[in-house]
Amino acid sequence: MPSRESYEVHKEEKSLVQKAKREANQEDILVAALGMRMGPQKPPATFWQPLKLFAYSQLTSLVRRATLKESDRTPKSEKVHNFKVHTFRGPHWCEHCASFMWGLMAQGVKCADCGLNVHKQCSSLVPNDCKPDLRHIRKVYSCDLTTLVKAYNTARPMVVDMCIREIESRGLKSEGLYRISGFSDSVEEVKMAFDKELTHPEKKLEAFREALALLPPSHCETLKYLMAHLKRVTQNEKFNLMNVENLGIIFGPTLMRAPNLDAITALNDIRYQRQVVEVLIKNEDILF
């Protein structure tokens, strides 16, 4: 029966043989990769070791450069366009194919975030490289997060920073923080203030003009006549006690409610309906 010492010697010899085979296989693979023909005799270890290190470094460098080139060719599609059917005033050309947009209404689509104008059939061919522009961002709340931060060139929406700073400066010790709801009127007032501070009056009026241009002529003429009348009503406010806010509350749901709208959605839209009527009355002379 073999002794323990002979068993250990045999085990060590077997391990050395396996190691030599692995190194030989690695050398053969590297030689094949480099296209080298070494002949029947392998170079001595003193010659092979520096050559092996050099070959590994060269292969690693080639792989790294190939990876970088491949990544450069990969498109950076960070944001898709938000295309909406649009009616353009005056002649317009597609910004993708440079062809004329035909038709009296709904000639093409327009990106609501960056303002890109293209044919409907060209919209699927446009690269996903939307760069939102503040001229087209109408609001802060209910706006896509990526759209908002790219438009303002910030890491996150500024409303998040402002609210957290305010809470941490004087609200961390308030009882029921984040549990007790605020008054809905106050919350809506704050949200409206954010939307108002980011909205430019001339851009808002331009958006209203674009919307009014989409109305059928009979609808637009009727609305124009009614707004002129309501403007005259507000001019006699000291007698009738009806200002533009009061008229907006009364006529907003009547004029602006969309057909087939469920009750919950209609209730949430009342505030916006009132605001639209107020803008139409105040700017009746320049919108129509």
Side-chain angles (χ1 to χ4, degrees), residues 23-33 42 48:
E23 290 181 353
N25 289 335
Q26 291 175 354
E27 293 173 358
D28 292 340
I29 293 173
L30 188 58
V31 168
K42 293 185 178 181
W48 174 252

Side-chain angles (χ1 to χ4, degrees), residues 218-273:
S218 57
H219 289 69
C220 188
E221 182 60 32
T222 303
L223 186 63
K224 174 183 176 181
Y225 191 76
L226 179 59
M227 292 302 108
H229 163 68
L230 295 180
K231 183 71 169 288
R232 291 191 291 272
V233 171
T234 61
Q235 291 171 349
N236 291 274
E237 177 186 349
K238 65 179 180 179
F239 303 109
N240 56 40
L241 304 181
M242 293 300 293
N243 56 25
V244 67
E245 289 79 11
N246 293 334
L247 294 174
I249 294 173
I250 295 172
F251 283 92
T254 304
L255 297 175
M256 300 300 161
R257 179 174 179 176
N260 304 321
L261 201 65
D262 62 271
I264 299 299
T265 305
L267 186 63
N268 293 331
D269 284 350
I270 288 179
R271 175 169 62 93
Y272 303 106
Q273 296 165 355

Side-chain angles (χ1 to χ4, degrees), residues 14-235:
K14 185 178 180 181
S15 176
L16 291 174
V17 170
Q18 290 176 347
K19 182 179 180 181
K21 288 183 178 180
R22 286 197 301 268
E23 290 181 353
N25 289 335
Q26 291 175 354
E27 293 173 358
D28 292 340
I29 293 173
L30 188 58
V31 168
L34 295 174
M36 298 170 61
R37 295 293 182 267
M38 303 303 296
Q41 294 294 329
K42 293 185 178 181
T46 55
F47 169 78
W48 174 252
Q49 188 64 24
L51 178 61
K52 183 169 66 172
L53 293 175
F54 173 77
Y56 275 135
S57 65
Q58 291 300 305
L59 285 174
T60 304
S61 178
L62 288 172
V63 171
R64 185 183 297 111
R65 287 200 296 270
T67 303
L68 291 175
K69 290 180 180 178
E70 185 64 28
S71 64
D72 291 340
R73 291 193 296 268
T74 304
K76 304 296 189 298
S77 302
E78 297 183 5
K79 185 182 184 307
V80 299
H81 291 278
N82 182 20
F83 285 120
K84 305 289 185 183
V85 176
H86 190 74
T87 295
F88 299 95
R89 295 191 298 173
H92 261 76
W93 282 261
C94 175
E95 296 182 39
H96 177 71
C97 68
S99 298
F100 184 70
M101 291 184 174
W102 297 96
L104 297 177
M105 295 184 67
Q107 305 97 327
V109 294
K110 180 176 184 176
C111 179
D113 298 333
C114 71
L116 182 69
N117 306 318
V118 296
H119 290 115
K120 186 176 182 180
Q121 61 270 24
C122 291
S123 62
S124 60
L125 306 175
V126 176
N128 297 331
D129 58 351
C130 179
K131 298 177 177 58
D133 192 323
L134 285 176
R135 293 175 298 174
H136 305 285
I137 306 302
R138 308 299 184 192
K139 55 188 177 180
V140 172
Y141 288 90
S142 301
C143 180
D144 175 70
L145 182 61
T146 302
T147 301
L148 198 62
V149 298
K150 288 178 71 66
Y152 283 91
N153 193 27
T154 56
R156 55 193 169 270
M158 68 171 187
V159 63
V160 175
D161 285 5
M162 295 177 68
C163 290
I164 289 180
R165 282 200 304 267
E166 186 67 17
I167 290 172
E168 292 186 352
S169 65
R170 59 189 182 91
L172 290 178
K173 296 182 180 180
S174 298
E175 181 180 352
L177 179 63
Y178 291 125
R179 178 174 58 83
I180 300 176
S181 302
F183 294 107
S184 58
D185 291 344
S186 300
V187 173
E188 292 301 321
E189 185 178 352
V190 172
K191 292 170 65 175
M192 288 175 59
F194 273 110
D195 287 338
K196 185 177 180 181
E197 293 295 327
L198 299 168
T199 301
H200 301 283
E202 62 275 9
K203 296 175 183 177
K204 178 187 291 186
L205 293 180
E206 182 60 29
F208 269 86
R209 291 191 188 96
E210 293 178 359
L212 292 172
L214 299 176
L215 291 176
S218 57
H219 289 69
C220 188
E221 182 60 32
T222 303
L223 186 63
K224 174 183 176 181
Y225 191 76
L226 179 59
M227 292 302 108
H229 163 68
L230 295 180
K231 183 71 169 288
R232 291 191 291 272
V233 171
T234 61
Q235 291 171 349

